[in-house]
Amino acid sequence: MPEGPSVRKFHHLVSPFVGQQVVKAGGSSKKLYPADLQSLWLQDTQVHGKKLFLRFDPDEETGLPGTSPLPKPVGKGAQKEEATDQEQALGPNGQMVSSGPLQSMELVVPSGGDSLECLGADTPAAAAERWLQVSFGLFGSIWVNEFSRAKKANKRGDWRDPVPRLVLHFGGGGFLAFYSCQMSWSSSPVFKPTCDILSEKFHRGQALEALGRAQPVCYTLLDQRYFSGLGNIIKNEALYRAGIHPLTLGSLLRPLHLEALVDHVVEFSTDWLQGKFQGRQQHTQIYQKDHCPAGHLVTKEALGPLGGFQRLTWWCPQCQPMLFPKEPEPPQLS
């Protein structure tokens, strides 16, 4: 599913529509009634971790339709941001979780993990519920002023275009198309910037304390309570660059190593986000690679907590050696 940098790019694409009225709405969503958004005004948009929040009001408050500039077309097509950071997720039974080319992934993960909550609310934007929370699935994306097109045939051989979950046409003449996502109404966005890896208020001390626990660091990194916005790509890259085996218990690592791991999380995420705005492809060193930069053979395995979802993980056994607890010394005989 899209990780923090991609969702922040989504936020950037939606922002120009703030202050405009929805004049027509549609889409395939069955848990949210698109018609409920018609005539509402998009008043604000915020981002936190892997979630996007949109505020709609029945009355104009921040401007008139068309006061916000529309995104300018790029090249031959309109501006878009399609998620490329697609995680490989396996369920507890070892089966790949995938929804196919026409369906979105609606994934429910045990609490505390790298979760995409199952959101089933279909309440319209009443006075107390004006924020639309958007959680993106495996192939989640937002397209601006154009629709996604099929790039290859599906398993049945059909060249059908993906069906958007929600399409919003605005008074300024542009539109947004949301793909592979879940949406629900809430009274306010759930924000905790101290755990957002791309926030200036990210709390390193809290993250370090969580990493230092006696559980594999690869599990902790995907815990959105401490590393909101961190996904499978960032996890793999940060662990490799820090030279840490994914299954090493955090309690076995020295504070210096934990500090380095957090540094790599923030640096890689920030560089990835900057690259998205610069049109630069993010370079990965270990994720989906057969060999590491040093030329060693890479190991790939699905790792995750017992009873939870497993994530395909890549690591180099030579560059990322496993640490084991020291065996207690035998008692000395007098």
Side-chain angles (χ1 to χ4, degrees):
M1 63 188 68
E3 302 184 27
S6 286
V7 180
R8 288 198 173 237
K9 183 66 182 294
F10 295 162
H11 173 261
H12 174 75
L13 297 179
V14 172
S15 294
F17 291 90
V18 171
Q20 297 193 43
Q21 186 180 32
V22 178
V23 295
K24 186 171 68 173
S28 65
S29 177
K30 296 180 180 179
K31 294 183 178 180
L32 178 82
Y33 299 108
D36 289 336
L37 289 114
Q38 190 161 322
S39 299
L40 297 182
W41 295 76
L42 177 60
Q43 302 290 15
D44 194 8
T45 175
Q46 298 187 28
V47 62
H48 176 65
K50 299 181 180 181
K51 296 178 181 178
L52 182 67
F53 298 90
L54 309 175
R55 178 181 171 176
F56 291 92
D57 286 303
D59 301 316
E60 177 187 3
E61 292 180 359
T62 61
L64 297 172
T67 55
S68 297
L70 289 177
K72 296 180 180 180
V74 177
K76 295 182 179 180
Q79 189 177 17
K80 63 180 178 293
E81 167 68 10
E82 185 175 15
T84 56
D85 44 325
Q86 299 161 359
E87 295 182 3
Q88 291 71 28
L90 285 80
N93 60 359
Q95 298 297 315
M96 180 70 74
V97 177
S98 178
S99 56
L102 300 180
Q103 303 295 327
S104 70
M105 184 183 77
E106 299 184 0
L107 175 65
V108 180
V109 189
S111 177
D114 180 20
S115 62
L116 172 64
E117 291 87 346
C118 183
L119 305 171
D122 56 2
T123 307
E129 294 182 313
R130 296 180 173 180
W131 287 91
L132 183 65
Q133 175 178 303
V134 185
S135 299
F136 295 91
L138 186 64
F139 299 101
S141 63
I142 293 179
W143 290 61
V144 180
N145 298 336
E146 66 173 328
F147 295 103
S148 175
R149 302 300 181 188
K151 296 179 179 179
K152 62 180 180 179
N154 59 26
K155 294 181 179 179
R156 296 186 297 273
D158 298 328
W159 282 79
R160 295 183 181 180
D161 293 332
V163 179
R165 279 299 181 90
L166 179 67
V167 180
L168 299 176
H169 292 265
F170 292 88
F175 69 89
L176 294 169
F178 297 75
Y179 291 88
S180 184
C181 59
Q182 292 187 353
M183 296 161 284
S184 68
W185 292 106
S186 63
S187 57
S188 63
V190 181
F191 276 84
K192 191 178 179 183
T194 54
C195 69
D196 191 328
I197 59 175
L198 286 169
S199 171
E200 294 180 354
K201 298 181 180 179
F202 177 60
H203 197 299
R204 290 178 58 91
Q206 176 180 276
L208 289 168
E209 181 180 356
L211 281 172
R213 297 173 182 172
Q215 72 171 357
V217 287
C218 70
Y219 302 174
T220 307
L221 285 174
L222 292 179
D223 192 329
Q224 300 298 290
R225 294 175 299 176
Y226 309 104
F227 296 95
S228 182
L230 193 152
N232 209 32
I233 296 178
I234 300 173
K235 177 200 76 175
N236 281 276
E237 291 300 309
L239 285 171
Y240 175 75
R241 295 164 196 230
I244 298 174
H245 191 286
L247 292 177
T248 295
L249 301 182
S251 56
L252 300 179
L253 291 170
R254 297 178 179 179
L256 186 64
H257 293 154
L258 295 175
E259 289 274 5
L261 179 55
V262 174
D263 286 341
H264 284 295
V265 164
V266 175
E267 290 171 5
F268 180 83
S269 304
T270 301
D271 183 69
W272 190 2
L273 178 60
Q274 292 175 348
K276 283 186 173 294
F277 286 106
Q278 297 169 0
R280 170 168 48 86
Q281 186 71 26
Q282 180 62 29
H283 173 68
T284 58
Q285 296 183 9
I286 197 75
Y287 180 72
Q288 294 186 333
K289 303 294 185 183
D290 294 325
H291 295 84
C292 76
H296 305 138
L297 190 65
V298 168
T299 298
K300 179 182 73 172
E301 187 177 344
L303 304 177
L306 184 65
F309 279 87
Q310 314 294 297
R311 306 291 182 187
L312 284 179
T313 305
W314 288 259
W315 74 93
C316 173
Q318 296 188 53
C319 298
Q320 300 167 262
M322 182 71 174
L323 296 182
F324 297 95
K326 293 182 179 179
E327 296 183 1
E329 295 183 2
Q332 297 294 328
L333 298 178
S334 57

